[in-house]
Amino acid sequence: MARSAQPPLIRVTHWAHAILFALMAGSGLQILVAFPLLGPRGQPYGWYPLQGARPPAALTIGGWLAGARHWHFAFAWFFTANALVYLVYFFWSGTWRERLFLPRRDARNAWETVLHDLRLRKVPPAPVGLYNGMQRLTYTGVLAIAPLLVASGLAMYKPVQLPRLTAILGGYDAARAIHLLVLAALAVFLVIHVVQVALHPRTLVDMTTGGARREVEA
């Protein structure tokens, strides 16, 4: 049986997530503008170097606190639903086998890929299926930390209704810090992702059109 390198549902949820993530990040940063300090009032976290720094207006969505909250909470449900659709298909279809990082298969390839991208290795590593080891490692890392984004968001949104979740995350202020840290980590991933796409533009074509079809077991 033949199928595209990037199945239709993977492509649809990928681009939907790109749009939803931009909306969530922009509205979240606008919410941060209202109180750009981390930690309990009067007791800021010493490790946070941007205490009081407001995000650039060009990166925010919503215009003001209430407007940003409307955007954020409305699209949060679409963001979560889209992620659930993706994850169900991801595991049900067996797609996880070719996308998740498996150390025995991918560790050496990931290291050699880094060396090649840094121009410290002349010969590119031999391909291991659709993705290289570094792509699988970063992809798996995103899937590992993304649930923290949802959990910390719920802890802030409903701290009274979900006291156990809020307590597990260290309280409201800690949940807020976790939420922002995960956003920062995903932003770093996004930058690396865009750079990698620029270096390998064929991946953009594949994620848009589906790419070359290949034979898979029925």
Side-chain angles (χ1 to χ4, degrees):
M1 179 178 66
R3 78 175 186 188
S4 300
Q6 299 292 352
L9 191 58
I10 292 291
R11 302 199 307 271
V12 170
T13 52
H14 172 273
W15 290 114
H17 235 66
I19 296 170
L20 291 168
F21 179 76
L23 293 171
M24 293 292 292
S27 56
L29 290 176
Q30 182 63 51
I31 293 172
L32 178 64
V33 168
F35 187 65
L37 299 171
L38 289 190
R41 285 184 179 274
Q43 301 177 23
Y45 290 133
W47 54 263
Y48 181 55
L50 301 176
Q51 291 286 356
R54 287 172 167 76
L59 297 180
T60 64
I61 294 174
W64 59 311
L65 177 59
R69 284 171 59 87
H70 287 319
W71 279 81
H72 205 70
F73 296 145
F75 285 101
W77 301 112
F78 292 103
F79 183 86
T80 303
N82 189 65
L84 289 175
V85 169
Y86 173 83
L87 287 174
V88 169
Y89 179 80
F90 183 73
F91 289 104
W92 172 78
S93 66
T95 301
W96 64 271
R97 295 185 183 89
E98 61 189 18
R99 297 170 191 265
L100 289 184
F101 180 81
L102 302 176
R104 293 184 63 181
R105 178 190 65 189
D106 301 316
R108 180 174 180 177
N109 185 270
W111 176 242
E112 291 176 347
T113 299
V114 170
L115 294 178
H116 179 260
D117 288 348
L118 294 175
R119 302 295 189 266
L120 299 176
R121 174 189 167 97
K122 294 183 179 180
V123 181
V128 184
L130 185 62
Y131 301 99
N132 62 49
M134 197 60 204
Q135 286 174 312
R136 290 193 178 102
L137 179 59
T138 53
Y139 191 84
T140 302
V142 168
L143 292 181
I145 67 171
L148 270 177
L149 196 68
V150 177
S152 58
L154 286 173
M156 290 188 294
Y157 182 42
K158 298 290 185 180
V160 176
Q161 294 84 349
L162 300 171
R164 289 186 177 85
L165 175 61
T166 306
I168 289 173
L169 293 176
Y172 181 90
D173 294 295
R176 187 167 179 253
I178 290 171
H179 203 65
L180 184 59
L181 287 172
V182 175
L183 173 60
L186 292 177
V188 171
F189 162 77
L190 180 62
V191 171
I192 296 173
H193 183 57
V194 170
V195 170
Q196 287 293 318
V197 169
L199 293 174
H200 307 283
R202 181 64 197 178
T203 57
L204 179 61
V205 176
D206 289 348
M207 189 54 74
T208 304
T209 66
R213 301 183 72 83
R214 67 187 189 281
E215 294 296 325
V216 296
E217 294 182 2

